[in-house]
């Protein structure tokens, strides 16, 4: 339990019964971007930056959620309906809590504190970690048993409904089921997870551009619709498929013929098909510690996300280019949904400091902005065998 969170909890909610607490990691996606909602492959790792949730049952049936990041508190009573006037983090928090409590025999009120050392909205899954933390504590205090796959699905649905983003399942599975020292190869169709060790002499560095473009939500929904439209076009051409996962590289020219090589649908599809292949190749590169290969795959992924999927931005491109030229760089690309946020980098361990310095300075020269760097380790998810519920 984070000692700081515990002290803040007592300051805000007063002394009383010892609260319970959970620290939910963020995740960084190594490769496999915008493939999860196309039933494809992803390769994320949970990292040691957290959303901490501390909570205690109350005597009445009301809930207070205090967010340190937002400097606000939200209160509601369980016997009332959720207010349609709510929005933002408060709507999401209440939505998650009510979703977890659905069907529970006895619903107790709670005081909850949310604290974090995970950059908010930076593509490191702060929103899934926020929901997972609230969900786990709510379940714990109400004696509700959660199964990892069901819980992941429930969190995903809550995000669709209360945030309004039709995210895939990568973030939830990663923060629940990742394993220390590894990346999780997730087949987003079967939900099978294989744990792939990360070479011990590569350090994992996240560089934050400091930029958050607010078109990210609407652009994300557009990409989903465009991928769905590409599937429809394939169907009209007589190919049987349920998602872009079923398109092979050899099938790509069929769509090019129907839609034209300048078509947005063709470009989106080409990204998804090539990115799925890159995930499989990246797994091989991790297994053989092949620096050259992983570097090449990250570079191709970033370019494909820029040219074909169009989700990078000026700042992400400059940060990645600065990294590619920095000493010790093994691999660098944008990570997460795009339109700002962070990049993910593998760096030779003994050159990490020089890498960070050179990348931040290159980024600042090209953009006039100040980025930040966090060196992270891959850790276990909260429902893996080495979970962290205390
Ligand atoms: C966001 C979503 C994920 C995934 C990524 C892009 O992080 O929450 O489900 O689609 O974007 O890979």
């Amino acid at each position: 339990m984070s000692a700081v969170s515990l002290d803040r909890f007592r300051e805000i909610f007063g002394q009383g019964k010892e609260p319970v607490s959970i620290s939910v990691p963020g995740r960084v996606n190594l490769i496999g971007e915008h493939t999860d909602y196309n039933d494809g492959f992803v390769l994320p790792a949970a990292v040691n930056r957290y959303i901490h949730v501390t909570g205690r049952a109350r005597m009445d049936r009301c809930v207070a959620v205090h967010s340190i990041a937002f400097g606000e508190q939200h209160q509601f009573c369980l016997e009332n309906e959720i207010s349609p006037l709510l929005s933002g983090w408060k709507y999401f928090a209440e939505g998650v809590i009510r979703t977890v409590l659905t069907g529970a025999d006895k619903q107790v009120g709670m005081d909850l504190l949310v604290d974090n050392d995970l950059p908010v909205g930076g593509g490191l899954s702060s929103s899934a970690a926020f929901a997972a933390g609230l969900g786990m504590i709510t379940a714990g205090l109400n004696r509700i048993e959660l199964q990892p796959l069901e819980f992941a699905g429930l969190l995903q649905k809550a995000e669709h409904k209360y945030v309004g983003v039709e995210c895939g399942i990568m973030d939830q599975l990663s923060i629940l089921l990742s394993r220390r020292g590894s990346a999780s190869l997730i087949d987003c169709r079967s939900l099978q997870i294989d744990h792939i060790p990360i070479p011990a002499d590569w350090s994992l560095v996240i560089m934050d551009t400091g930029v958050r473009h607010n078109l990210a939500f609407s652009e994300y929904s557009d990409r989903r619709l465009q991928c769905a439209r590409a599937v429809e076009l394939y169907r009209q051409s007589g190919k049987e498929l349920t998602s872009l996962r079923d398109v092979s590289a050899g099938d790509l020219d069929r769509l090019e013929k129907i839609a034209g090589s300048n078509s947005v649908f063709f470009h989106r599809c080409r990204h998804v098909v090539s990115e799925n292949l890159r995930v499989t190749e990246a797994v091989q590169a991790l297994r053989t510690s092949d620096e050259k290969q992983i570097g090449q795959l990250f570079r191709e992924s970033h370019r494909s996300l820029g040219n074909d999927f169009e989700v990078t931005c000026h700042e992400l491109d400059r940060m990645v280019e600065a990294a590619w030229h920095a000493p010790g760089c093994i691999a660098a690309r944008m990570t997460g949904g795009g339109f700002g946020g962070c990049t993910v980098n593998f760096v030779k361990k003994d050159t990490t400091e020089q890498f960070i310095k050179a990348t931040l300075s290159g980024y600042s020269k090209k953009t006039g902005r100040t980025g930040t760097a966090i060196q992270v380790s891959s850790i276990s998810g909260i429902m893996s065998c080495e979970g962290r519920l205390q």
Side-chain angles (χ1 to χ4, degrees):
M1 182 182 304
S2 144
V4 180
S5 295
L6 191 55
D7 288 349
R8 288 305 304 273
F9 185 90
R10 292 205 176 107
E11 257 170 50
I12 294 165
F13 296 112
Q15 300 292 336
K17 212 175 151 223
E18 183 78 354
V20 289
S21 171
I22 192 163
S23 296
V24 186
R27 66 99 189 93
V28 64
N29 190 18
L30 301 183
I31 196 162
E33 221 64 85
H34 289 274
T35 45
D36 60 350
Y37 55 83
N38 290 300
D39 283 351
F41 298 99
V42 292
L43 191 63
V47 294
N48 56 338
R49 284 292 182 284
Y50 305 95
I51 300 275
H52 308 282
V53 181
T54 307
R56 180 168 71 193
R58 291 168 46 140
M59 302 303 283
D60 59 10
R61 296 195 64 232
C62 292
V63 177
V65 191
H66 190 103
S67 159
I68 292 188
F70 293 104
E72 288 176 332
Q73 193 171 120
H74 174 50
Q75 298 210 26
F76 61 97
C77 286
L78 290 166
E79 39 267 312
N80 303 335
E81 297 284 304
I82 188 164
S83 162
L85 300 176
L86 269 180
S87 62
W89 78 268
K90 295 181 179 176
Y91 189 53
F92 187 32
E94 184 172 337
V96 169
I97 292 166
R98 288 185 185 274
T99 309
V100 171
L101 287 175
T102 306
D105 301 340
K106 198 175 146 242
Q107 303 184 348
V108 300
M110 299 172 287
D111 284 329
L112 300 161
L113 176 71
V114 185
D115 194 4
N116 65 292
D117 61 10
L118 184 65
V120 172
L124 302 182
S125 210
S126 53
S127 133
F130 172 83
L134 286 175
M136 286 290 272
I137 295 288
T138 300
L141 294 176
N142 284 276
R143 303 192 191 294
I144 298 167
E145 252 193 61
L146 297 170
Q147 298 304 322
L149 291 186
E150 274 166 29
F151 186 41
L154 179 152
L155 294 173
Q156 183 194 20
K157 284 201 193 90
E159 191 132 349
H160 291 186
K161 184 164 174 193
Y162 298 102
V163 181
V165 176
E166 296 261 319
C167 61
I169 192 77
M170 161 172 72
D171 304 351
Q172 294 76 10
L173 287 178
S174 170
I175 63 181
L176 298 183
L177 293 170
S178 285
R179 287 214 194 132
R180 183 150 37 126
S182 302
S184 307
L185 169 63
I186 307 176
D187 176 336
C188 296
R189 173 170 276 169
S190 66
L191 303 188
Q192 186 183 321
I193 305 182
D194 289 318
H195 301 280
I196 317 293
I198 296 175
D201 54 345
W202 297 1
S203 64
L204 188 53
V205 177
I206 293 167
M207 313 288 300
D208 190 343
T209 60
V211 170
R212 313 282 186 261
H213 290 297
N214 49 18
L215 35 83
F217 278 11
S218 59
E219 291 286 340
Y220 189 88
S221 306
D222 285 354
R223 295 305 177 280
R224 279 203 75 132
L225 290 173
Q226 290 158 351
C227 290
R229 178 71 187 134
V231 169
E232 245 172 62
L233 288 170
Y234 267 110
R235 283 209 192 105
Q236 283 166 14
S237 80
K239 183 176 165 58
E240 276 183 33
L241 78 172
T242 45
S243 64
L244 291 186
R245 158 73 176 274
D246 302 316
V247 179
S248 68
D251 273 339
L252 269 175
D253 52 356
R254 188 197 279 240
L255 183 59
E256 192 176 4
K257 274 193 206 116
I258 320 166
S261 55
N262 289 329
S263 141
V264 102
F265 308 113
F266 170 64
H267 285 266
R268 304 303 186 239
C269 180
R270 186 165 64 183
H271 166 72
V272 173
V273 171
S274 61
E275 186 77 351
N276 275 331
L277 290 172
R278 281 189 286 273
V279 175
T280 317
E281 288 171 31
V283 166
Q284 199 47 32
L286 287 188
R287 286 201 163 119
T288 53
S289 300
D290 189 335
E291 298 184 356
K292 208 167 153 235
Q293 176 71 349
I294 199 81
Q296 181 66 23
L297 291 165
F298 271 36
R299 211 177 260 256
E300 284 168 11
S301 169
H302 188 84
R303 292 208 169 117
S304 174
L305 286 159
N307 299 333
D308 275 347
F309 221 69
E310 297 181 276
V311 292
T312 65
C313 61
H314 172 69
E315 294 83 1
L316 281 170
D317 289 345
R318 299 297 87 76
M319 187 69 100
V320 161
E321 283 158 16
W324 287 340
H325 291 109
C329 178
I330 298 172
R333 57 176 285 279
M334 61 153 272
T335 188
F339 301 100
C342 297
T343 66
V344 55
N345 307 264
F346 276 129
V347 185
K348 290 181 201 286
K349 226 168 210 160
D350 48 3
T351 350
T352 307
E353 256 176 56
Q354 292 101 298
F355 168 84
I356 291 177
K357 220 169 140 211
T359 304
L360 289 180
S361 136
Y363 174 67
S364 154
K365 268 189 208 133
K366 293 279 172 165
T367 60
R369 289 180 176 277
T370 308
T372 46
I374 351 174
Q375 189 180 348
V376 292
S377 319
S378 145
I379 57 154
S380 294
I382 50 171
M383 291 180 115
S384 77
C385 13
E386 303 140 342
R388 295 173 54 91
L389 186 58
Q390 294 165 20

